[in-house]
Amino acid sequence: MDFDLNEDVQMVRDMTRDFADGDLIPRATQHDREGTISKEVFEKIAELGLWGLTIPEQFGGAGLGNEALTAALIELNRGCAATGVTLSVHNSLVGAPINKWGTDEQKAQWLPQLATGEIIGSYCLTEANAGSDAAAVQTSAVRDGDGWVMNGTKLWVTNGGWAGVFLVYARTNPDVSKAKGMSCFIVPKDTPGVRVGKTELKAGIRGSSTTEVVFENVKLPASAVLGEVDSGFKVAMDTLDGGRIGIASQAVGIGRACLEASIKYAGEREQFGRPIGHFQAIQWKIADMASRLDAAELLCFRAAWLRDRQRPCTREAAQAKLTASLAANFAADECLQIHGGFGYTDHSHVERLFRDARITEIYEGATDIQRLVIARNLMG
Ligand code: CAA
């Protein structure tokens, strides 16, 4: 067994670590307060080739895999979780499925633009009545000659306000069981009838864009379908296997930021005549945070390693997300406790980390959905 990252992955990790230290950490509070990501950060992501990290070289990407994406997302989210999720969704929920399920024409049309960040990608699955029960989507696409007409509203769409293209999951056959009658459509933002609705004000990851997206009599050609007609649920679920590794990596990154802040503060803050890090109560918190985060990181790389080899990783991705999101929230809670009143106020970035960590237990499948996926996989 080899725990060394290969040369390419190490290079990506070092590059994103420098980017996080130099550009993201100094801007993360600004992103949080202003509710957006700065133009400079968007440009630097393009300059570093991160929009196309997992897009094949023939389409202008870096042609790297999920191991590299995991390494990058841990570092980026250590710096700014709003930036981290933007990139995770773009790569794993949009670039990856177009590359996996797309026709030659679809790949040639979309991957080069996604690789440079000329357009940002977004994944539209969730609706008012289809959250954890993802197969319950009511957005419909009805046949219209050779093409389709789509109607419906998607909620909590990450990158909604910035996207140039949406992957939209819609019901195409109401006469079969829920999961069997869905299809995935590639919908350009400028298609008539597509409207970006309300922007959500969130507890955390405030710099990222989360919106409603409305589809009103949107006419789409037959060539807009990604994968087979009526097989969209499998595209959605398979895509989420990859996406969950991304969110697990995000959680590890946020947790690492909490651990670093805690170690630093424990060495500086004095009470009862000595740095609080001299007290065992604080040392045990640090030891538990580090151990849970290391376990989570190993699960992330195991799932990424499997996915890069086209091996099944549904359970492993869910285990990574379950473990990492719990570890991140544990680390954020302990970090805030170590920082006390200072951590609870906007005097430090600790209260932001606490808010940012919480979403990792919610999106791309809530904690109990990960447990359900793992248990079904083990028990049938
Ligand atoms: N890969 C491929 N196919 C899969 C699959 C996977 N990982 N998981 C399930 N399928 C297939 C099954 O094999 C089955 O196919 P057959 O009928 O041919 O056997 C079909 O899909 C239906 O599967 P289930 O019976 O397991 O479906 P279900 O209705 O019981 O749902 C679920 C399963 C796991 C609960 C699923 O609904 C789920 O994952 N829910 C959570 C939704 C979610 O994660 N949403 C995230 C939104 S996106 C987001 O959050 C992005 C963001 O903002 C950052």
Side-chain angles (χ1 to χ4, degrees):
M1 193 176 288
D2 184 0
F3 286 98
D4 281 329
L5 301 176
N6 73 39
E7 219 171 280
D8 286 342
V9 179
Q10 277 183 41
M11 195 199 68
V12 168
R13 185 197 55 196
D14 294 348
M15 179 181 82
T16 48
R17 183 172 289 168
D18 289 347
F19 175 38
D21 288 338
D23 297 88
L24 296 181
I25 292 175
R27 288 190 176 89
T29 298
Q30 175 199 330
H31 290 171
D32 182 63
R33 303 236 169 111
E34 294 179 356
T36 190
I37 294 171
S38 60
K39 193 168 153 281
E40 293 81 7
V41 164
F42 267 94
E43 286 169 359
K44 192 77 191 267
I45 292 172
E47 198 184 300
L48 297 177
L50 295 170
W51 294 118
L53 192 68
T54 55
I55 291 176
E57 285 172 293
Q58 69 181 112
F59 298 111
L64 295 171
N66 289 280
E67 282 182 71
L69 186 60
T70 295
L73 289 174
I74 290 174
E75 294 303 330
L76 298 174
N77 283 288
R78 190 177 64 78
C80 171
T83 304
V85 70
T86 303
L87 221 98
S88 182
V89 166
H90 179 86
N91 269 282
S92 63
L93 295 190
V94 183
I98 293 179
N99 188 44
K100 179 165 182 174
W101 306 89
T103 60
D104 289 346
E105 292 73 24
Q106 288 170 333
K107 289 188 206 182
Q109 182 178 1
W110 296 108
L111 293 182
Q113 304 180 71
L114 290 166
T116 56
E118 188 184 330
I119 59 165
I120 306 295
S122 188
Y123 174 96
C124 302
L125 177 64
T126 304
E127 300 178 2
N129 295 314
S132 290
D133 185 5
V137 301
Q138 288 169 340
T139 291
S140 66
V142 176
R143 284 209 190 263
D144 177 37
D146 285 346
W148 302 86
V149 177
M150 178 181 284
N151 279 286
T153 299
K154 296 291 181 177
L155 295 185
W156 303 306
V157 177
T158 302
N159 294 349
W162 298 327
V165 65
F166 299 100
L167 289 195
V168 186
Y169 295 87
R171 184 148 308 288
T172 38
N173 187 346
D175 301 326
V176 292
S177 73
K178 296 188 307 187
K180 294 201 189 301
M182 280 166 64
S183 304
C184 178
F185 292 85
I186 305 176
V187 183
K189 186 201 171 172
D190 55 12
T191 313
V194 176
R195 180 168 58 83
V196 176
K198 181 175 174 272
T199 296
E200 302 294 346
L201 296 176
K202 308 184 290 292
I205 54 160
R206 287 184 176 171
S208 66
S209 167
T210 308
T211 71
E212 180 185 54
V213 184
V214 183
F215 303 90
E216 280 167 345
N217 296 319
V218 177
K219 284 186 186 293
L220 297 165
S223 61
V225 177
L226 180 67
E228 301 286 316
V229 171
D230 291 346
S231 294
F233 191 70
K234 283 193 182 166
V235 176
M237 291 296 112
D238 177 77
T239 299
L240 281 170
D241 286 345
R244 285 169 184 166
I245 306 171
I247 300 306
S249 310
Q250 171 177 56
V252 171
I254 297 169
R256 293 246 171 262
C258 295
L259 179 63
E260 285 171 18
S262 299
I263 292 172
K264 184 165 182 289
Y265 193 72
E268 293 167 356
R269 169 76 169 160
E270 293 197 4
Q271 288 291 276
F272 305 104
R274 69 188 81 167
I276 59 171
H278 286 213
F279 296 110
Q280 218 172 40
I282 303 295
Q283 293 167 11
W284 288 13
K285 287 186 193 302
I286 304 272
D288 285 347
M289 288 159 76
S291 303
R292 292 185 197 199
L293 290 168
D294 278 4
E297 185 170 318
L298 287 169
L299 289 176
C300 288
F301 278 110
R302 176 180 71 162
W305 185 91
L306 287 168
R307 195 154 175 86
D308 281 341
R309 283 154 186 79
Q310 284 85 48
R311 284 164 59 173
C313 67
T314 301
R315 171 172 61 85
E316 291 81 357
Q319 287 175 313
K321 182 170 185 292
L322 174 67
T323 307
S325 58
L326 292 174
N329 280 282
F330 173 79
D333 193 47
E334 293 290 46
C335 175
L336 201 147
Q337 195 66 24
I338 289 170
H339 283 76
F342 183 66
Y344 195 64
T345 60
D346 65 1
H347 294 293
S348 84
H349 65 304
V350 168
E351 60 87 27
R352 173 177 56 76
L353 294 174
F354 184 78
R355 290 184 283 106
D356 286 350
R358 195 63 185 81
I359 188 62
T360 64
E361 275 203 64
I362 297 170
Y363 57 20
E364 300 210 23
T367 296
D368 288 329
I369 291 297
Q370 306 310 323
R371 293 192 170 106
L372 179 148
V373 169
I374 296 162
R376 276 189 186 177
N377 199 279
L378 291 169
M379 300 165 76

